[in-house]
Amino acid sequence: MKPKLDDIAIFVAIAGSGSFAAAAKALSIPTSTVSRRLAALEATLGTQLVRRTTRRVSLTEDGVAFAERCRSALEEIESASAALEPQDGPLKGSLRVSAPAYICPDVFGTWLLEFASRHPKLSLELRLSNVEPDLIEEGIDLSFQVGPLRDQQHIARRMWTFPYTLCAARRLVEARPDLLAFEHPGALADHPCVVTPPLDKWRFERGADERFTFVPGRRSVVSDDWRVGASAVRMGMGVGFLPHVLVETDLGRDLIALDLHGWRPAPRELFAVYPASRQLSPKVRAAIDYALSGRGVH
């Protein structure tokens, strides 16, 4: 007997949420139904997919392998169904979006909420992280990422550029006044730097054809959280190469932008990324277009 598609969808929901109750809530069905349908699926397949304890559930080795393949298949079905929806019809279903935490509250927060409010049948799930997500594994429909992009297997649409600022706390500049006299980024090698991976190579440009990449050697603070990095710079712990949006309100007061004889931080590009394995669904297309039309929010 072949397994039922509904049972597989319930199992994938369990695998993604980590509990029967969470899966039941996401699917709007009773928890008892989740447990019963999982048992039926395991009986049909002749293998145990989930280990049950009093507090949580975990996947068996067979469960992990089955979940990975079924998740992709269900996403393909959802994508194919969405592609058949009328282009001028209401957007519906779920839309999972990821974006860097350091730009979302100020840049995307406003337009994402406005976009969702215009489409009441659309369920928006927003995940904030400064780590590039695995779009397939995490079921992300649309990911906003700052380049250069490391994963080239997906489709990326260029959105706009983000300026960066080389800056230091006023207290650090007062203690090290030579920071204001540098004529080249390489002179930063003798000064403490706040580094925010994956941006651990600072790219500078001067004019139309001069480029220089600086790799900080004296790393006073290393954090993959951009806001933590910005706080460390404000505290005078080192020079920072940070998104302008994070520091613009402090420039001229607590922070000083460093001028390196015409050398300026190279801007980075923002991309809208979605899985190449899926057709561009109407809801993803609409979200990208709305983001472009709402550039004024940033």
Side-chain angles (χ1 to χ4, degrees), residues 3-20:
K4 295 181 179 179
L5 185 59
D6 287 347
D7 293 351
I8 294 175
I10 289 175
F11 165 67
V12 170
I14 296 171
S17 63
S19 75
F20 287 7

Side-chain angles (χ1 to χ4, degrees), residues 43-277:
T44 299
L45 296 174
T47 187
Q48 183 180 6
L49 300 174
V50 173
R51 297 188 186 91
R52 304 156 177 82
T53 66
T54 56
R55 294 187 176 182
R56 61 188 300 272
V57 298
S58 61
L59 301 185
T60 64
E61 185 176 348
D62 285 343
V64 171
F66 191 62
E68 289 178 353
R69 300 191 66 175
C70 289
R71 184 181 293 110
S72 297
L74 290 174
E75 288 172 351
E76 288 293 337
I77 293 173
E78 180 182 355
S79 178
S81 300
L84 296 176
E85 295 177 0
Q87 297 296 307
D88 56 352
L91 300 179
K92 56 186 178 181
S94 63
L95 178 63
R96 298 185 183 92
V97 180
S98 72
Y102 73 92
I103 60 174
C104 187
D106 300 318
V107 179
F108 292 106
T110 299
W111 76 258
L112 273 172
L113 293 177
E114 290 177 350
F115 176 75
S117 69
R118 289 170 179 259
H119 305 282
K121 293 186 177 182
L122 191 66
S123 175
L124 174 66
E125 180 180 336
L126 175 61
R127 302 180 183 181
L128 304 181
S129 175
N130 292 328
V131 178
E132 289 186 13
D134 185 322
L135 272 59
I136 303 300
E137 180 66 24
E138 299 178 39
I140 302 295
D141 299 303
L142 176 61
S143 178
F144 291 95
Q145 300 176 17
V146 178
L149 300 177
R150 291 178 294 174
D151 192 342
Q152 302 295 325
Q153 66 174 316
H154 304 303
I155 298 175
R157 180 176 177 182
R158 184 179 289 102
M159 303 294 284
W160 56 76
T161 58
F162 269 96
Y164 278 70
T165 298
L166 182 72
C167 58
R170 184 174 296 277
R171 70 179 75 175
L172 181 61
V173 172
E174 291 174 350
R176 298 171 178 261
D178 56 323
L179 285 170
L180 298 178
F182 288 168
E183 296 187 358
H184 191 275
L188 293 168
D190 295 328
H191 289 267
C193 297
V194 175
V195 181
T196 51
L199 185 59
D200 51 6
K201 295 180 180 179
W202 298 358
R203 293 180 170 85
F204 295 86
E205 59 186 19
R206 184 169 65 174
D209 54 6
E210 291 187 271
R211 302 289 184 270
F212 181 79
T213 299
F214 171 71
V215 180
R218 295 187 57 189
R219 305 185 176 197
S220 57
V221 176
V222 178
S223 173
D224 61 0
D225 189 312
W226 294 87
R227 294 187 181 275
V228 171
S231 296
V233 174
R234 293 188 186 97
M235 294 173 64
M237 301 179 70
V239 176
F241 189 103
L242 297 167
H244 185 73
V245 68
L246 276 184
V247 298
E248 59 181 338
T249 58
D250 295 322
L251 290 175
R253 298 186 307 167
D254 300 327
L255 294 179
I256 296 177
L258 303 181
D259 183 5
L260 304 180
H261 204 67
W263 285 98
R264 300 188 180 282
R268 299 175 75 191
E269 294 181 318
L270 178 75
F271 294 87
V273 183
Y274 56 92
S277 60

Side-chain angles (χ1 to χ4, degrees), residues 33-51:
T33 300
V34 171
S35 179
R36 177 168 52 82
R37 297 315 309 166
L38 173 63
L41 177 62
E42 290 179 322
T44 299
L45 296 174
T47 187
Q48 183 180 6
L49 300 174
V50 173
R51 297 188 186 91

